[in-house]
Amino acid sequence: MEEDFELPTGDEMMMNNDNQLDLPDDGPTLKVGEEKEIGNQGLKKKLLKAGEGWDTPDNGDEVEVHYTGTLLDGTQFDSSRDRGTPFKFTLGQGQVIKGWDLGIKTMKKGENALFTIPAELAYGSSGSPPTIPSNATLQFDVELLSWSSIKDICKDGGIFKKILVEGEKWENPKELDEVLVRYEAQLEDGSVVAKSDGVEFTVKDGHFCPALARAVKTMKKGEKVLLSVKPQYGFGEKGKPASGNEGAVPPNANTQITLELVSWKTVTEVTDDKKVIKKILKEGDGYERPNEGAVVKVKLIGKLQDGTVFLKKGHDDNELFEFKTDEDEVIDGLDRAVVAMKKGEVALLTIAPEYAFGSSESQQELAVVPPNSTVCYEIELVSFDKEKESWDMSTDEKIEAAGKKKEEGNVLFKAGKYAKASKRYEKAVKYIEYDSSFSEEEKKQAKALKVACNLNDAACKLKLKDYKQAEKLCTKVLELESRNVKALYRRAQAYMQLTNLDLAELDIKKALEIDPNNRDVKLEYKTLKEKMKEFNKKEAKFYGNMFAKMSKLGSLESNVSPA
């Protein structure tokens, strides 16, 4: 028995076996003492001792095993146990016989199994003289001690990540987040080219080399990894000259980077246009957030971008700042951001002028905010009382709440705040949307509110040029009241803007049948006729031009002699 006996490499194995064996991802489920075939090429596994948990290693992982190899007659030809040193290799890279690569993928940590490996998945017809004859079926008693997960995180071989210390929870940083990391970068000869005991950067902006940003997006808080980085994710063909405390990186150099994700601050876009940004400085508690209409109590510091403080509330033993959300009591950006916060959360808000004080100068508590200023707020949500949700209300309360929201919407509509008014009307309808438990009288009240709110909301949508939604809201009204003139009139307006002129004419004619003297509908009919006339002219011109071109083309073709 030779001390330096090695399992054959993948290249040697390929000489003995041209067939590739694809296994299902999950290995066979075995009870202790049970034996099953893995795949369809004769590889068998007998479970000797069950492992821990549910996880199994994957291709690319570094595994550590103890094993004893014997022929079928019991003759031992190798044993790591006898040497007293576990055997390490990278799974699925052809560093061992095929039967090992396939079998060990099915094992859990601490598991002990006996693999019976046919010659085709071992040493084939060549054998491994002098210990293993040709065409020998082998048996390996294998114990999986541990493994280190190694992932090809870019799926192109450019960055391999080996986990040295497992992280916490399951979240990973996103593009906008600010991460705090420690790292050390070395060349293949071991020389250190860069090191930091703590550097903060935005993931999308990156730091040092592209590999860092790519890697942190796959990491958990507290995770520590070893990255093997190819030039395309390092410093490429040009390399990097020495600068400051950082050493030079030669052209086309591979690097190894030890990277630890210490923590990160979550950054989110509160508005779709990216003009209100929220960065979490301290995580809040639980999962509940304020709803629209909630009363919130906050600590608040407002600053200009040059650091000038223009507002300070709730600090230095002063009373907390209290306001009701969605009531125009604070700037729009602050209003929108606070409903995305949890109790106890501390955040930094960056708010563009459109969601702050706009193009006007604003005198605040401690300083003037100049026109077109982007402002920052450090805000802590100390507490909040949510507005009562409809499912917590009695039927009386639902009707009362709907009526109140309708009146609020009317005030906002008259003030020209159509988007906010629309939200009030929508909320009013939601309170009374499901009325199966209402009495007959309550159903009448609910119906009247639904009709009024949907009609008013349609008027808002027309002002906001959301014509499709205006049409849908009017249709809802007409399902409740088929002869509602206002609904027919406003739906006709929406149809006209959507150039559904025939449908607009049908609605207007029906409205005039119901109310022949309605001045607004008559005027709209006049506008519609002019629009139809203009449309018909354009259509006639279009087809006239098209026929003229076709006639000209036909004339040209008739003058061409056949070849």
Side-chain angles (χ1 to χ4, degrees):
M1 184 66 212
E2 294 185 0
E3 289 279 312
D4 62 349
F5 179 90
E6 290 289 340
L7 294 164
T9 66
D11 290 341
E12 293 168 350
M13 185 62 223
M14 288 301 291
M15 292 171 65
N16 300 325
N17 177 32
D18 292 332
N19 297 320
Q20 297 295 311
L21 177 61
D22 290 323
L23 286 178
D25 291 337
D26 298 320
T29 302
L30 298 174
K31 296 176 182 176
V32 173
E34 188 179 5
E35 184 177 58
K36 283 188 180 177
E37 186 172 348
I38 299 172
N40 56 12
Q41 289 195 355
L43 175 65
K44 293 179 181 178
K45 174 184 175 181
K46 182 178 182 180
L47 185 63
L48 304 178
K49 186 185 87 171
E52 306 166 10
W54 55 270
D55 204 9
T56 57
D58 200 358
N59 288 339
D61 292 351
E62 284 185 356
V63 299
E64 184 177 40
V65 301
H66 260 316
Y67 70 91
T68 301
T70 59
L71 303 177
L72 284 180
D73 63 7
T75 303
Q76 181 176 306
F77 55 83
D78 189 27
S79 174
S80 65
R81 295 182 176 97
D82 290 349
R83 291 194 295 276
T85 304
F87 177 58
K88 294 182 181 180
F89 70 98
T90 302
L91 192 62
Q93 304 299 304
Q95 295 178 2
V96 292
I97 60 174
K98 189 74 173 178
W100 267 48
D101 267 342
L102 299 174
I104 290 172
K105 275 181 71 173
T106 70
M107 299 182 73
K108 299 169 185 172
K109 185 179 179 183
E111 183 179 317
N112 192 183
L114 179 67
F115 292 101
T116 302
I117 305 176
E120 292 78 8
L121 299 177
Y123 298 90
S125 58
S126 301
S128 183
T131 54
I132 298 175
S134 65
N135 297 314
T137 295
L138 308 178
Q139 287 191 318
F140 283 94
D141 178 332
V142 180
E143 181 182 4
L144 179 56
L145 303 174
S146 65
W147 74 85
S148 299
S149 179
I150 297 178
K151 303 297 180 188
D152 180 1
I153 62 176
C154 296
K155 308 299 182 189
D156 60 2
I159 307 173
F160 283 99
K161 182 184 87 167
K162 176 181 178 180
I163 297 177
L164 305 176
V165 178
E166 290 285 346
E168 305 169 12
K169 299 183 180 177
W170 54 269
E171 300 101 329
N172 308 118
K174 306 293 187 296
E175 285 282 308
L176 295 174
D177 295 346
E178 288 185 6
V179 295
L180 176 64
V181 303
R182 298 188 187 106
Y183 70 93
E184 181 177 286
Q186 298 181 354
L187 300 178
E188 288 183 303
D189 63 7
S191 57
V192 176
V193 293
K195 183 176 181 178
S196 175
D197 289 329
V199 62
E200 196 169 40
F201 63 92
T202 302
V203 175
K204 69 181 177 64
D205 295 336
H207 179 75
F208 183 62
C209 70
L212 260 63
R214 293 271 188 159
V216 294
K217 287 195 286 186
T218 72
M219 295 173 68
K220 302 169 187 172
K221 183 181 177 182
E223 186 174 318
K224 189 174 182 180
V225 301
L226 178 64
L227 305 176
S228 299
V229 182
K230 293 286 176 66
Q232 66 263 36
Y233 295 104
F235 294 95
E237 297 177 356
K238 294 182 179 179
K240 171 186 169 297
S243 63
N245 295 326
E246 294 184 355
V249 178
N252 295 311
N254 294 326
T255 52
Q256 285 203 327
I257 303 173
T258 305
L259 176 66
E260 180 184 357
L261 178 55
V262 180
S263 63
W264 76 86
K265 295 173 182 139
T266 302
V267 179
T268 54
E269 295 165 345
V270 176
T271 55
D272 292 337
D273 57 8
K274 306 178 183 179
K275 291 186 176 181
V276 181
I277 305 295
K278 177 169 79 85
K279 176 166 71 176
I280 297 176
L281 305 179
K282 176 178 168 286
E283 290 286 345
D285 303 323
Y287 61 91
E288 277 205 276
R289 294 174 170 86
N291 59 357
E292 291 171 353
V295 175
V296 299
K297 290 184 179 180
V298 301
K299 292 181 180 178
L300 201 63
I301 299 174
K303 297 180 182 179
L304 302 177
Q305 286 191 298
D306 64 5
T308 302
V309 176
F310 61 82
L311 181 72
K312 193 171 185 180
K313 297 280 189 181
H315 291 271
D316 306 323
D317 297 324
N318 290 330
E319 192 176 345
L320 294 171
F321 182 49
E322 181 180 307
F323 66 94
K324 192 173 184 180
T325 63
D326 203 35
E327 289 286 347
D328 285 341
E329 294 181 7
V330 293
I331 60 169
D332 195 21
L334 183 55
D335 216 349
R336 290 174 184 240
V338 78
V339 295
M341 296 179 69
K342 300 173 185 175
K343 183 180 177 181
E345 182 179 320
V346 180
L348 181 65
L349 310 176
T350 304
I351 304 174
E354 295 91 326
Y355 295 91
F357 300 99
S359 57
S360 303
E361 180 179 281
S362 179
Q363 177 64 55
Q364 292 294 297
E365 186 181 72
L366 302 175
V368 172
V369 177
N372 300 310
S373 292
T374 294
V375 295
C376 301
Y377 285 92
E378 186 175 309
I379 178 172
E380 179 182 350
L381 179 56
V382 179
S383 66
F384 60 89
D385 292 313
K386 294 177 79 169
E387 184 172 71
K388 203 169 185 180
E389 300 285 3
S390 61
W391 52 80
D392 293 324
M393 295 179 178
S394 66
T395 54
D396 283 345
E397 287 176 322
K398 287 178 183 179
I399 290 169
E400 185 183 344
K404 187 180 175 185
K405 290 295 174 190
K406 171 180 167 280
E407 293 308 316
E408 289 174 7
N410 291 349
V411 171
L412 289 164
F413 187 90
K414 287 172 186 174
K417 297 178 179 179
Y418 304 118
K420 283 186 175 289
S422 174
K423 283 172 71 176
R424 294 295 194 281
Y425 295 133
E426 285 168 7
K427 195 156 190 178
V429 171
K430 280 182 182 175
Y431 282 128
I432 51 176
E433 197 168 9
Y434 303 107
D435 58 5
S436 57
S437 62
F438 287 19
S439 68
E440 287 306 312
E441 181 57 35
E442 286 169 340
K443 283 182 180 178
K444 285 180 186 176
Q445 291 176 288
K447 180 183 173 183
L449 281 166
K450 284 179 193 175
V451 167
C453 288
N454 281 329
L455 275 175
N456 293 352
D457 197 5
C460 291
K461 298 301 185 188
L462 288 170
K463 293 284 188 182
L464 295 166
K465 299 183 179 180
D466 187 352
Y467 304 117
K468 284 188 177 179
Q469 197 58 35
E471 178 263 316
K472 287 179 183 176
L473 288 162
C474 291
T475 300
K476 282 186 179 180
V477 173
L478 291 165
E479 286 168 359
L480 295 171
E481 292 182 355
S482 61
R483 292 173 62 80
N484 189 296
V485 173
K486 279 187 180 178
L488 290 164
Y489 168 62
R490 287 178 187 165
R491 190 167 73 171
Q493 288 180 304
Y495 280 145
M496 284 168 65
Q497 295 297 331
L498 296 166
T499 62
N500 292 331
L501 303 184
D502 291 338
L503 291 175
E505 188 175 30
L506 284 172
D507 277 355
I508 284 181
K509 282 182 175 179
K510 187 172 181 181
L512 286 172
E513 282 174 22
I514 300 163
D515 186 2
N517 298 317
N518 190 303
R519 185 172 175 274
D520 290 335
V521 179
K522 283 181 177 180
L523 287 171
E524 201 65 31
Y525 197 15
K526 186 179 177 184
T527 304
L528 174 63
K529 284 180 175 177
E530 288 171 2
K531 204 161 190 173
M532 291 178 86
K533 191 176 177 182
E534 184 184 339
F535 179 79
N536 289 334
K537 273 185 187 176
K538 284 182 180 177
E539 201 171 46
K541 186 177 179 183
F542 171 77
Y543 285 112
N545 289 339
M546 187 175 75
F547 288 131
K549 285 177 183 176
M550 289 173 68
S551 176
K552 187 177 179 182
L553 184 62
S555 174
L556 286 170
E557 286 176 348
S558 65
N559 291 329
V560 176
S561 301

